[in-house]
């Protein structure tokens, strides 16, 4: 997991649900992660998948990722290189999917009305800071157990390490 | 110190004296359900690098999301799951001929009070209808349960919803659940356990409790729980797959929020596009044309739901301006509905009957809407694109409102087509396969 990321902001509203992040009709027909990335945000922002770049950050409203438990909704953003998602709150299953796939989800209600679509920001995970032209904002540290999973790169590498399969 | 249901059951399973909200525990669940997503889960399991399941008996697999398979991709997915099931000796496997996972698990006695049940499906909060700690987890997490048996949980805070009074005619648990979501919004219970109690909750049938706890996730809840009682114990008599020990919240435990609701104040409602919390009284939307009506899904396609639909449609014909797609929640429900003449009434009125399963709920098959078409559905989600077409709209309501809407082709107040619930209750009592599905 990178300690500092830098990228452009993609702004969305409240209650962005998993059906618009990754449509349900693809859940059993699209299995390759790269292919999943091609459908990312398809029903919310058709431009997203072509224009997003590694390190870009999504800043959204409350309850991001509500709806279905589908893991592809986290994977499709991870493979597109999304560096983090910042929102005042996340749906609980989406939060788990983020942690389990090494996609950092930052809970903060401070930046939602500060940064605009297209702004460039930097996130320092070690310092717990979001930095940009419009100011610096701190966010609370991750729970230790949860951070351990993210640091390992997600739940599967974490489990392999824990079971002694990987050193 | 008095503890909530969630605190008590998580402490018990984690093997510690007590836990506080916010702390993280690891537990081994009694049941880890997965469905058509098991093929993907099995590939993740294989990536972990162990040969055997920690305990094959924890796992329960139901094929329901696209049954029978609509094309070669879905068929291949099912084939891979059957191979995995055989390879690992998973006994609890329900193939395409059973119905929707949550319903099939209930009917076969897997949902038990005082147990921890996970599902790689967000509507796994349904199991709280039986007094279980039921919650949705991710695909990777079920793969890790396959390898290690374990899953981590944050101990949730608890919100109590105290229910009193009785419904007016034409009002159902679906209206109550949507009313609550509209009131507290789609994240009103985020990360929390929701406990539904009070005299009204204990009058609800199994079917009604399942509708209620199924919708808990649509307000962000981790768990929706009804304290188990005689109605649950009777349902489980001769059906429970093993012995169980109910867990209850202690008297005087801490709830971080309490809602009091008198059922008599609830009106028939509709959740308008594109969020479940966009809830309006049916009157505000009355007359809106609906090109399709869908009665199905894990939320509202049980025998009592088909009963009200059949009673409204009997000897009538649906509007030529709409289609009615009806998909029973399970094969058992379908058989009962046939014996009681409900299927006859529905199909004779112009309804189209589908194979028990999830159907078009998430847009896989059997009723995907066309461009600019509107569907009134008894499902639990109306997100944009949910039914497989982003150029369509989904409205959510009770089966009674769906029935009234099918007759006119427009959103219609269910009270325009009253049904005789005493007669329905009598019929349901006589149903041989689902003896406890009686409306409160």
């Amino acid at each position: 997991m990178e300690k500092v990321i830098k990228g452009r902001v993609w702004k969305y509203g409240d209650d962005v649900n998993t059906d618009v992040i990754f449509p349900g009709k693809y859940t059993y027909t699209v299995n390759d992660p790269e292919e999943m990335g091609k459908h990312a945000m398809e029903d919310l922002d058709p431009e997203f998948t072509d224009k997003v770049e590694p390190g870009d950050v999504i800043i959204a409203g409350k309850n991001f990722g509500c709806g279905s438990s589908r893991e592809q909704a986290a994977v499709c953003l991870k493979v597109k290189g999304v560096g983090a998602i910042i929102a005042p709150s996340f749906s609980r299953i989406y939060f788990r999917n983020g942690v389990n796939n090494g996609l950092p989800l930052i809970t903060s209600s401070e930046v939602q009305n500060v940064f605009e679509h297209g702004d460039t920001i930097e996130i320092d995970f070690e310092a717990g800071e979001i930095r940009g032209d419009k100011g610096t904002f701190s966010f609370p540290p991750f729970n230790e157990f949860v951070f351990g999973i993210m640091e390992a790169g997600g739940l599967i590498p974490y489990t392999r390490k824990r079971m002694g399969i990987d050193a | 110190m008095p503890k909530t249901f969630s605190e008590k059951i998580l402490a018990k399973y984690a093997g510690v004296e007590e836990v506080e909200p916010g702390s993280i525990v690891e537990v081994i669940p009694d049941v880890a359900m997965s469905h058509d997503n098991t093929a993907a889960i099995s590939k993740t399991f294989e990536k972990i690098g162990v040969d055997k399941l920690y305990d094959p008996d924890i796992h329960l697999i139901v094929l329901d999301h696209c049954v029978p398979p609509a094309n070669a991709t879905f068929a291949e997915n099912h084939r891979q799951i059957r191979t995995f099931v055989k390879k690992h000796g998973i006994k609890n496997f329900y193939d395409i001929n059973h119905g929707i996972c949550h319903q099939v698990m209930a009917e076969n006695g897997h949902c038990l009070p005082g147990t921890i049940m996970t599902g790689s499906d967000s509507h796994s909060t349904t199991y709280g209808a039986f007094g279980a700690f039921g919650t949705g987890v991710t695909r990777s997490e079920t793969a890790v349960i396959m390898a290690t048996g374990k899953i981590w949980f944050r101990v949730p805070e608890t919100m109590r919803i105290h229910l009193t009074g009785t419904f007016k005619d034409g009002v159902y648990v679906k209206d109550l659940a949507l009313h609550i979501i509209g009131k507290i919004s789609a994240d009103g219970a985020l990360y929390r356990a929701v406990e539904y109690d009070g005299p009204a909750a204990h009058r609800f049938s199994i079917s009604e409790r399942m509708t209620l706890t199924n919708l808990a996730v649509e307000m962000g809840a981790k768990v929706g729980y009804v304290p188990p009682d005689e109605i649950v114990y009777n349902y489980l008599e001769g059906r429970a797959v093993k012995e169980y020990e109910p867990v209850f919240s202690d008297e005087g435990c801490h709830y971080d929020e309490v809602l009091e609701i008198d059922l008599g104040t609830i009106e028939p409602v509709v959740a308008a596009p594109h969020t479940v919390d966009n809830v309006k009284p049916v009157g505000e939307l009355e007359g809106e044309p609906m090109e399709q009506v869908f009665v199905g899904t894990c939320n509202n396609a049980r025998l009592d739901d088909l009963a009200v639909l059949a009673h409204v449609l009997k000897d009538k014909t649906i509007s030529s301006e709409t289609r009615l797609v009806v998909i029973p929640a399970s094969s058992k429900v379908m058989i009962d509905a046939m014996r009681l003449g409900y299927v006859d009434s529905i199909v004779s009125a112009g309804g189209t009957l589908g194979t028990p399963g999830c159907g078009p709920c998430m847009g896989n098959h059997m009723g995907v809407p066309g461009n600019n078409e509107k569907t009134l559905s008894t499902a639990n989600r109306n997100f944009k694109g949910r039914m497989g077409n982003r150029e369509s709209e989904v409205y959510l309501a009770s089966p009674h409102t769906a029935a009234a809407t099918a007759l006119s082709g427009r959103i219609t107040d269910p009270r325009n087509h009253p049904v005789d619930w005493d007669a329905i209750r009598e019929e349901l009592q006589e149903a041989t396969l689902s003896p406890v599905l009686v409306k409160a």
Side-chain angles (χ1 to χ4, degrees):
Chain A
M1 185 176 159
E2 307 229 11
K3 304 271 190 244
V4 180
I5 58 157
K6 191 174 182 178
R8 287 173 312 157
V9 169
W10 294 76
K11 277 276 289 272
Y12 300 105
D14 290 344
D15 301 312
V16 172
N17 67 71
T18 54
D19 275 286
V20 297
I21 303 171
F22 188 83
K25 63 187 171 193
Y26 300 132
T27 50
Y28 300 103
T29 52
V30 176
N31 296 311
D32 173 52
E34 294 300 324
E35 279 295 312
M36 289 177 196
K38 288 183 189 161
H39 298 290
M41 304 299 241
E42 186 170 286
D43 282 351
L44 180 67
D45 180 356
E47 287 200 336
F48 178 85
T49 185
D50 288 333
K51 297 193 174 163
V52 69
E53 282 173 23
D56 282 0
V57 172
I58 291 172
I59 297 183
K62 69 181 177 70
N63 203 22
F64 187 91
C66 61
S68 153
S69 61
R70 72 187 62 133
E71 197 153 340
Q72 299 95 318
V75 174
C76 71
L77 297 178
K78 178 76 182 171
V79 299
K80 294 306 285 187
V82 170
I85 304 173
I86 308 172
S89 61
F90 294 89
S91 107
R92 60 166 285 274
I93 301 181
Y94 196 83
F95 187 80
R96 299 180 77 96
N97 272 324
V99 169
N100 292 338
N101 288 285
L103 173 65
L105 305 182
I106 297 170
T107 306
S108 164
S109 45
E110 281 189 291
V111 300
Q112 200 191 347
N113 298 318
V114 174
F115 295 110
E116 295 302 326
H117 207 91
D119 285 355
T120 296
I121 62 168
E122 194 172 73
I123 298 173
D124 185 330
F125 292 104
E126 232 165 31
E129 278 180 356
I130 302 161
R131 299 186 283 252
D133 289 348
K134 293 164 182 164
T136 296
F137 304 85
S138 58
F139 58 88
F142 293 98
N143 169 288
E144 204 179 316
F145 183 88
V146 163
F147 191 73
I149 296 173
M150 288 194 335
E151 219 180 7
L155 186 65
I156 301 308
Y158 174 83
T159 302
R160 284 175 61 90
K161 215 167 141 184
R162 215 178 171 194
M163 294 182 84
I165 297 165
D166 289 337
Chain B
M1 202 181 139
K3 292 286 183 187
T4 65
F5 160 73
S6 296
E7 290 157 10
K8 285 170 73 175
I9 196 166
L10 289 174
K12 180 178 170 183
Y13 275 67
V16 295
E17 193 67 30
E18 58 174 49
V19 294
E20 300 291 330
S23 54
I24 300 234
V25 294
E26 277 193 297
V27 300
I28 296 176
D30 295 88
V31 176
M33 187 279 292
S34 54
H35 42 63
D36 300 41
N37 54 19
T38 309
I41 291 169
S42 70
K43 285 176 193 129
T44 306
F45 166 73
E46 280 152 17
K47 274 189 220 157
I48 296 172
V50 289
D51 301 333
K52 279 194 174 156
L53 301 191
Y54 169 83
D55 179 0
D57 292 348
I58 291 177
H59 296 281
L60 188 153
I61 298 163
V62 186
L63 299 186
D64 62 358
H65 271 52
C66 189
V67 293
N71 57 37
T73 307
F74 285 108
E76 176 57 16
N77 186 59
H78 288 171
R79 189 193 64 78
Q80 288 175 11
I81 295 168
R82 290 188 193 100
T83 304
F84 182 79
V85 163
K86 275 195 193 133
K87 180 179 173 189
H88 292 283
I90 296 172
K91 289 185 305 201
N92 298 315
F93 175 61
Y94 296 91
D95 213 315
I96 63 164
N97 54 333
H98 289 84
I100 308 174
C101 55
H102 310 302
Q103 180 65 18
V104 169
M105 290 164 77
E107 287 171 353
N108 290 282
H110 294 284
C111 303
L112 301 175
T115 61
I116 294 182
M117 304 176 66
T118 65
S120 281
D121 184 281
S122 53
H123 291 109
S124 301
T125 53
T126 309
Y127 319 136
F130 300 86
F133 182 95
T135 193
V137 300
T138 71
R139 290 182 175 187
S140 291
E141 288 171 323
T142 298
V144 170
I145 294 172
M146 285 174 175
T148 68
K150 287 184 191 148
I151 174 102
W152 64 271
F153 288 122
R154 177 187 171 279
V155 180
E157 290 80 11
T158 300
M159 173 181 192
R160 180 188 188 201
I161 301 182
H162 189 250
L163 302 169
T164 56
T166 51
F167 288 128
K168 292 186 285 199
D169 285 347
V171 184
Y172 297 85
V173 164
K174 178 61 155 283
D175 299 295
L176 167 69
L178 291 178
H179 166 85
I180 297 169
I181 297 166
K183 187 172 163 150
I184 69 172
S185 92
D187 65 346
L190 192 57
Y191 301 121
R192 293 192 279 178
V194 175
E195 188 167 327
Y196 305 91
D197 70 353
H202 290 289
R203 279 196 299 273
F204 288 154
S205 66
I206 294 293
S207 173
E208 290 175 300
R209 292 177 197 203
M210 290 176 78
T211 299
L212 188 63
T213 54
N214 178 277
L215 277 163
V217 73
E218 304 305 334
M219 48 190 186
K222 179 176 214 146
V223 167
Y225 163 82
V226 180
D229 55 19
E230 289 304 318
I231 288 179
V232 171
Y233 308 147
N234 288 340
Y235 182 81
L236 292 172
E237 190 68 43
R239 190 188 303 254
V241 293
K242 62 177 184 183
E243 290 189 2
Y244 56 87
E245 193 184 331
V247 175
F248 299 95
S249 289
D250 292 331
E251 192 76 36
C253 67
H254 175 74
Y255 296 107
D256 72 344
E257 191 177 350
V258 179
L259 284 185
E260 297 276 351
I261 299 176
D262 174 354
L263 269 44
T265 64
I266 308 292
E267 300 291 328
V269 293
V270 174
H274 292 288
T275 56
V276 185
D277 58 2
N278 189 16
V279 177
K280 302 171 192 298
V282 67
E284 266 184 42
L285 294 163
E286 206 157 12
E288 190 74 35
M290 293 289 127
E291 285 78 12
Q292 179 170 263
V293 174
F294 172 43
V295 176
T297 83
C298 52
N299 195 254
N300 263 146
R302 283 174 279 278
L303 192 61
D304 49 342
D305 303 319
L306 300 188
V308 69
L309 176 67
H311 275 252
V312 172
L313 296 185
K314 194 171 167 54
D315 302 327
K316 296 195 178 88
T317 306
I318 64 165
S319 163
S320 58
E321 299 296 311
T322 196
R323 291 104 54 186
L324 169 65
V325 174
V326 180
I327 303 187
S330 71
S331 297
K332 284 191 174 180
V333 169
M334 185 167 72
I335 290 168
D336 274 354
M338 291 196 312
R339 286 188 183 165
L340 291 169
Y342 297 161
V343 169
D344 190 336
S345 297
I346 293 165
V347 176
S348 299
T352 305
L353 191 73
T355 318
C358 303
C361 178
M362 75 296 297
N364 283 335
H365 66 159
M366 288 204 293
V368 175
N371 290 351
N372 301 315
E373 287 190 335
K374 294 176 177 167
T375 300
L376 185 115
S377 164
T378 65
N380 35 34
R381 284 203 177 119
N382 60 351
F383 303 147
K384 193 165 198 174
R386 170 74 182 178
M387 292 185 73
N389 185 345
R390 71 187 300 265
E391 304 301 329
S392 69
E393 290 186 346
V394 185
Y395 294 71
L396 307 177
S398 75
H400 197 165
T401 303
T405 300
L407 284 177
S408 62
R410 294 165 181 275
I411 291 183
T412 301
D413 193 318
R415 292 168 293 200
N416 295 348
H417 298 277
V419 290
D420 180 354
W421 263 104
D422 288 334
I424 293 178
R425 246 180 238 121
E426 220 165 280
E427 286 169 4
L428 297 186
Q429 292 283 19
E430 286 168 17
T432 52
L433 290 172
S434 314
V436 199
L437 297 171
V438 180
K439 208 87 188 166

